[in-house]
Amino acid sequence: MNIVSESFNLSSLSAEKMISYGLLFFASLMIFFISQIIHFYLGTYNLSTMYISFCAGFILFIPLVSLVLHPLIVNKEGKSETFHFSALLANIGLVCVVQFLCFLIWMTDAIALYSLYVDQHSFLAKVFDIKTQSRGDMTFEFYCFNFILAWLFAMLSMVVGVLPCLIARLDNYGVVGDFVAAFSFAKRHKSLMCFYALLIASSVLVPLLYGKYLFLVIFPSVLAWVFTRLNKKYLESSVS
């Protein structure tokens, strides 16, 4: 009877992991389609330079995408598996609203920056009535700024979005306690977090800008790897 029960649990867990990877690919596919639609319309209005800002903004959705990876979490020894897809679906709506609002706030600022420093006579500058003295073409600086911002977004997404949800599944200190534990973990492992943030930012920007179809392979692979590494590192640090 125990053998049958264990076999059923293993098959159920395996099915959840397969669904998790499938949802991760689906989420990546949705981001890819949205990015290509945005790229097309930006090109129509001669605003292709702004595409990098949208790509950087997509990183803000990583906490939402990472929710589908929770079946991959390795629990502490002796702790039973508590994941249920019903709980995941119940939280998606709230996370979607918060992440979408953050994305809109960032894009508003990106439009202003583009109109001020890249093209002072663009369609956007006219629509939003942004008037400024000509500062010359600062496209290179605009790209550098967005790369740095993408790295900061990735760091913020991990510390404020991914880690608290991960810790809630493993220890559940409460809403405030989970955030405190996330910041404490990030502070203890600053170099590692910076490296993971760089990987995530690169997995979004580089493929979408220079090899768009690679995004469907690189982004989900990097995100899944970073998520599992954060899981294992947190377990190691909590034991020590």
Side-chain angles (χ1 to χ4, degrees):
M1 183 68 178
N2 290 335
I3 295 176
V4 174
S5 177
E6 288 179 5
S7 176
F8 176 77
N9 289 334
L10 286 174
S11 63
S12 176
L13 183 60
S14 177
E16 286 185 341
K17 288 184 177 181
M18 292 298 293
I19 294 173
S20 177
Y21 284 122
L23 288 175
L24 176 60
F25 180 76
F26 178 75
S28 303
L29 196 62
M30 290 300 295
I31 293 175
F32 176 76
F33 281 142
I34 293 171
S35 71
Q36 295 311 298
I37 292 171
I38 291 173
H39 193 208
F40 172 78
Y41 281 105
L42 287 176
T44 301
Y45 291 101
N46 295 320
L47 298 171
S48 296
T49 305
M50 269 206 70
Y51 181 56
I52 189 174
S53 295
F54 282 90
C55 294
F58 289 144
I59 295 174
L60 291 171
F61 289 96
I62 282 177
L64 173 62
V65 177
S66 68
L67 289 177
V68 305
L69 294 173
H70 279 218
L72 305 180
I73 289 178
V74 177
N75 272 321
K76 290 185 175 180
E77 187 175 353
K79 185 175 179 180
S80 60
E81 187 65 36
T82 58
F83 177 82
H84 299 286
F85 269 104
S86 58
L88 168 65
L89 294 174
N91 291 320
I92 282 181
L94 179 60
V95 177
C96 275
V97 172
V98 174
Q99 295 299 129
F100 186 68
L101 287 175
C102 290
F103 182 75
L104 284 181
I105 292 171
W106 157 234
M107 287 317 306
T108 303
D109 293 338
I111 289 171
L113 289 172
Y114 177 84
S115 301
L116 287 170
Y117 296 105
V118 179
D119 188 354
Q120 295 85 17
H121 306 289
S122 68
F123 167 75
L124 289 174
K126 295 176 182 177
V127 169
F128 291 93
D129 195 26
I130 299 176
K131 298 177 181 178
T132 181
Q133 293 181 348
S134 179
R135 301 171 185 268
D137 187 357
M138 300 182 69
T139 303
F140 176 76
E141 290 81 357
F142 184 72
Y143 268 77
C144 291
F145 171 77
N146 277 281
F147 266 100
I148 295 172
L149 199 63
W151 174 75
L152 292 175
F153 281 168
M155 178 71 75
L156 181 67
S157 295
M158 284 193 296
V159 177
V160 179
V162 177
L163 275 173
C165 293
L166 177 65
I167 293 171
R169 280 287 317 284
L170 296 171
D171 288 314
N172 195 13
Y173 297 118
V175 176
V176 177
D178 293 336
F179 276 98
V180 172
F183 277 99
S184 177
F185 176 86
K187 185 177 180 180
R188 291 198 309 271
H189 305 284
K190 292 187 289 290
S191 299
L192 192 64
M193 294 296 290
C194 289
F195 173 66
Y196 287 162
L198 181 62
L199 282 180
I200 291 175
S202 300
S203 72
V204 175
L205 293 186
V206 176
L208 286 179
L209 291 174
Y210 305 110
K212 58 184 181 180
Y213 293 111
L214 291 176
F215 173 81
L216 297 174
V217 176
I218 296 176
F219 171 69
S221 300
V222 169
L223 184 59
W225 184 82
V226 169
F227 184 84
T228 53
R229 293 306 303 170
L230 284 174
N231 180 195
K232 292 179 181 178
K233 192 65 179 178
Y234 177 78
L235 290 177
E236 291 172 2
S237 62
S238 61
V239 170
S240 59

